[in-house]
Amino acid sequence: MIGRMRSQTEEASKFIVDWMEHRTGIVTQLEHFLYEPVPKRGAWVYTLGSAVLGLIVVQFLTGILLLFYYVPSTDHAWNSVNYIMNEAYFGQLVRGIHYWSANFLLAMIGLHMAQVFFAGGYKAPRELNWVVGVVLLLLVIGLAFTGYLLRWDQDGFWASVVGMKIGSYSPFVGGYVINFLLGGDVAGPATLSRFFALHVWLLPAAIAPFIGIHLYLLRRHGVFGSEFEYSERLAKLHERQRLEEYAGYELDDDDEDEAERNGRSNGRGE
Amino acid sequence: MAELQKDPITRGDFLGFGILGAISGAILTIPPVAFVLSPVIKTNVLGQTDIDQGWQRVATIKDLKELKPGTPDVFEVEFPIEQVYSDKEIQEKFPDSQKSQSDFTVRHAVWISWKAPVKQQGTQGSGGDILGEPEKPAIVDQKSSGFTQSERDEIRGQLNILSNSCAHLGCPVRWFPDKHEFLCPCHGGLYDINGGYVGGPPPRGMYNYTQAEVREDGTLYIKHGYDIEPGLNKQQPYVV
Amino acid sequence: MVYVPAAGKSKPVEEEVITEENVYDRPDETMGFFPGQVLKDTYVFTFLIIACAVLSYAAPAPLTAPADTATVEYVPRPEWFFFFYEQMLMFFPGYALVSFGAVVVPTIFIVLLFAVPWLDRSPQHYSAISRPFATVIGILVVVIVVLNMLMAVSRIMNFPTA
């Protein structure tokens, strides 16, 4: 009885897998994705990048959740955040995760960048992935800046005022920059709407494809950590080179020396 | 996978791509850019402002009487602003609707003090102007209303009307009575009682409200507008 | 690129001749992305999400008083990751320098950041020790950022209260 059920389930699952594979090719894709060989040494170092990815996903999820209650208007933005914090079930947790994972995200990005820089991970053929990474960094900084104002509390408001005023010092375009950010010439409803649009729609929409490119390029060229992953192979290479060098000396002991000397003197003569 | 099929592109195809691309491209780029940049166009190109340009009351004669020389006092002024919510139009079109019964305002903190005479103009790196003792016009204490034009001008001339926005990065500045200076809490910009630059990173002194008047009853009114050098206008950081 | 199925073949032929060209083709030891790497990633992620959850009750996300444009009491402070930048602004006073320090220098820095792969092109020098110039510059940047952060913190802590 159990044996028959087992075989039936097996057949059914095999059928589903085959069916999906035939229609979408997803099974092969998954195999490629899951079973790619990656360096065994330094695996903990490479969790930095995945941590960044995970935290960004958390940002997306909790951000969408917060939008269920948040009201982007100067009259009610603060009130709605207050409601999330005090009234909504687990509101404190959802907003807390959004807030704290943003902080961890910035820290993790810093560590991730430092690791890639000091390991030389930006070298050919991975230059473009570094460039995409810098774009992602700028987008995340933009998100961090625009998100701060949305609470419409003293902290967020004044930090944004300072930030916008910094923008106003841009050479040649300062006046345009600040009026663009303000949505006019005073910090008011238009400013909040703008920051909301940037934080919730424009920047996340921009960041998503760049994350995709970053991951695609990573998979295309593989992670490159540091020379310590290759220490055995490098040792073998150096050993072989050394042996070849010795072999060279031993083989052409006299003749080569003679030829070399002649060559040199010829060279000098010319 | 089928072999790739690379058909040649004829001149007609090329033209078609060009024209269609231009049409869709124009529709999808020009209006959206103008849409997003409309505040920039309105304020920087057309010179419009969101802030109501009418007179706003700052302080009564009683406040001015109580204003001690050498001690600036802060007053709150509400400037009605017209931005996004279009309260005015709604109130005109649908006066009975519950929407937007009140104007949206932006509140400014205004530092008011009696001017201290500048004895010696400060030079670069000298640590600001050398100031005398601030003076309060005697007329303020003598009368409570019915000020004449010359008296009103005298009072106006003796008043510092300063924005609380630091000229460096717009943080709210505060008065330190023991030091007799305004201090910006963000980066330590220092100003004297007249708002003149004393030290720290700010590029200039505090912003003055240039349009101000004292009326017959001694009430001080101001309009929104600062002493921003017109030459530097495009690069001049605006007061937020 | 040819796809090599990972199962059981992560270690190809032992007799491979290692040359300058192929030395970096494959690390000494490999493992399948799943489960080895995925498990480690999950450990880190779980730690972070637990930390977030605990912190959101232990140190709830701040919400200060509603924005007030007319305050003279409030002291604006940036978030911690902008501390170093904010501190840097103090070193650039006056019209010419404010715009220089606030916008021009950071822009140059970002452009240089973009250009890093083309500034340091020394081939086959991956290890931090074998390219001291890049490493020293990197360490300098980190030190400057950390020092500026500490200075900002000390400035904020020592701010005089009226």
Side-chain angles (χ1 to χ4, degrees), chain A residues 74 168-169 175 179 184-186 194, chain B residues 36 44 49-50 167-168 234 237:
Chain A
T74 46
S168 79
Y169 281 106
N179 288 336
D185 58 354
V186 63
R194 244 146 222 267
Chain B
V36 171
N44 291 48
T49 174
D50 297 331
H168 182 222
K234 284 289 178 277

Side-chain angles (χ1 to χ4, degrees), chain A residues 31-210:
Chain A
E31 270 195 340
H32 280 234
F33 174 73
L34 286 177
Y35 299 118
E36 186 182 295
V38 293
K40 197 169 183 180
R41 255 178 250 161
W44 284 107
V45 171
Y46 305 127
T47 57
L48 286 174
S50 351
V52 171
L53 177 66
L55 289 173
I56 288 182
V57 172
V58 167
Q59 287 284 302
F60 270 88
L61 293 178
T62 50
I64 291 168
L65 290 176
L66 289 172
L67 284 177
F68 276 77
Y69 294 104
Y70 179 72
V71 182
S73 93
T74 46
D75 299 335
H76 292 103
W78 189 90
N79 308 31
S80 62
V81 177
N82 196 47
Y83 176 85
I84 290 169
M85 287 302 278
N86 296 313
E87 304 287 332
Y89 290 151
F90 288 111
Q92 197 181 348
L93 182 73
V94 173
R95 180 160 175 257
I97 290 178
H98 196 71
Y99 172 82
W100 280 109
S101 62
N103 281 302
F104 284 130
L105 180 59
L106 267 294
M108 284 293 163
I109 287 175
L111 293 175
H112 179 55
M113 277 189 86
Q115 186 263 317
V116 172
F117 181 85
F118 288 117
Y122 51 80
K123 297 207 166 200
R126 297 177 182 80
E127 301 102 318
L128 279 182
N129 217 11
W130 172 268
V131 169
V132 172
V134 177
V135 171
L136 285 169
L137 170 75
L138 296 179
L139 288 171
V140 169
I141 290 174
L143 279 160
F145 173 65
T146 50
Y148 210 11
L149 182 74
L150 299 189
R151 312 176 201 163
W152 208 250
D153 67 347
Q154 289 284 64
D155 279 358
F157 180 82
W158 284 103
S160 307
V161 165
V162 171
M164 287 188 280
K165 194 128 180 176
I166 287 173
S168 79
Y169 281 106
S170 313
F172 310 116
V173 293
Y176 301 110
V177 168
I178 192 160
N179 288 336
F180 170 76
L181 289 172
L182 285 170
D185 58 354
V186 63
T191 320
L192 184 57
S193 298
R194 244 146 222 267
F195 276 56
F196 180 75
L198 290 172
H199 184 78
V200 174
W201 287 108
L202 188 69
L203 293 174
I207 212 170
F210 278 107

